Amino acid sequence: MAKQYDILVRLLMIGDSGVGKTCMLCRFTEEGFIQPHLTTIGIDFKMKNMVLDDKRIKVQVWDTAGQERYNTITAQYFRRAQGIMVIYDITSETSFLNSQKWLRMVSENGCDDIEKLLVGNKSDAKSLRTVSREEGQKFADHHEMGFIETSAHSDTNIEEAFTVLVKQVMRKRKKSIDRQMANIRLYNTEDSIDLADESLINKDKSLCC
């Protein structure tokens, strides 16, 4: 059977338990908002097809458990991911401060050039907010990553968050391909002989047939 997509993109969702990772993923895959739901045990994943720049993209999203006892299990998935979404709860300062810990795990276990996006979830709970948008943006800028606030409950910016990260991955992929093609062209140019260059003809008679 013909492959139903052109490119496979692997994303990983990380963050403290209870920040809304599973709810965000269910919204993204159009399964709706699940409440209440069971805490993710270990790791789970879902798929969704997207079309960007005329490319059919299959997005594979891994939803990790936030509990520390599962860190050994989830760490092995970091290196396979092309993009990582670091998620905190805007009503929980602790989950925001722990974003530093999660980024450290990315640094220790992920690829050097992995794309990252900081996400402040539960933006609908304005009266319970303890982390300002400015704090989130400042943290993201300091770590040179994108930033967006979302709400799985009201389905705000969920599609946008995943799309932003997929686009980052696609841009990195295109740059890598362009760089490889440039190196191939350079290699071919250096190793080729211009047959029209008369200075190379009959310079050494012993080389002539």
Side-chain angles (χ1 to χ4, degrees):
M1 292 179 63
K3 192 164 65 171
Q4 299 300 309
Y5 60 93
D6 301 311
I7 301 167
L8 174 65
V9 173
R10 296 187 182 94
L11 305 182
L12 187 68
M13 304 175 74
I14 59 176
D16 283 7
S17 179
V19 298
K21 299 186 295 295
T22 301
C23 291
M24 287 179 61
L25 183 54
C26 288
R27 279 292 196 189
F28 175 61
T29 55
E30 299 172 353
E31 293 182 16
F33 183 73
I34 302 175
Q35 186 182 18
H37 67 276
L38 297 174
T39 300
T40 301
I41 298 175
I43 194 162
D44 191 15
F45 81 96
K46 295 184 186 297
M47 312 280 278
K48 180 171 180 175
N49 293 322
M50 303 175 66
V51 177
L52 290 175
D53 299 327
D54 297 325
K55 296 289 185 182
R56 299 171 303 169
I57 304 170
K58 181 178 284 293
V59 186
Q60 185 182 83
V61 188
W62 293 91
D63 173 19
T64 64
Q67 298 96 324
E68 196 163 320
R69 65 180 180 272
Y70 294 118
N71 286 357
T72 303
I73 299 174
T74 59
Q76 61 183 304
Y77 290 89
F78 280 67
R79 190 160 295 278
R80 296 181 61 194
Q82 297 159 285
I84 287 188
M85 195 175 283
V86 183
I87 304 163
Y88 68 91
D89 174 356
I90 71 159
T91 70
S92 168
E93 187 177 14
T94 299
S95 71
F96 174 67
L97 295 175
N98 282 342
S99 296
Q100 185 70 54
K101 176 196 73 174
W102 290 106
L103 280 178
R104 189 161 55 249
M105 288 186 65
V106 175
S107 177
E108 293 171 353
N109 300 286
C111 298
D112 293 335
D113 62 347
I114 196 167
E115 292 296 318
K116 299 182 291 291
L117 179 68
L118 180 67
V119 178
N121 193 36
K122 304 187 183 181
S123 62
D124 59 291
K126 295 181 176 62
S127 61
L128 301 175
R129 178 190 285 272
T130 59
V131 183
S132 69
R133 184 187 297 269
E134 290 73 23
E135 287 177 291
Q137 186 66 65
K138 183 178 179 180
F139 181 89
D141 291 344
H142 177 73
H143 292 280
E144 298 181 333
M145 56 195 301
F147 172 68
I148 190 171
E149 286 194 345
T150 63
S151 169
H153 185 270
S154 62
D155 196 13
T156 303
N157 285 342
I158 298 297
E159 184 83 17
E160 288 80 357
F162 284 96
T163 301
V164 164
L165 188 54
V166 170
K167 284 183 176 180
Q168 288 179 204
V169 170
M170 293 295 291
R171 281 195 296 269
K172 177 66 66 65
R173 180 180 181 276
K174 184 178 185 302
K175 286 181 181 179
S176 177
I177 292 174
D178 289 345
R179 187 163 55 247
Q180 291 175 24
M181 293 303 296
N183 289 338
I184 291 173
R185 286 193 293 270
L186 179 62
Y187 176 82
N188 289 338
T189 300
E190 290 177 344
D191 285 5
S192 62
I193 296 176
D194 186 357
L195 297 179
D197 188 348
E198 294 182 0
S199 65
L200 299 176
I201 301 175
N202 294 333
K203 219 171 190 181
D204 189 343
K205 296 292 184 180
S206 65
L207 297 178
C208 297
C209 297

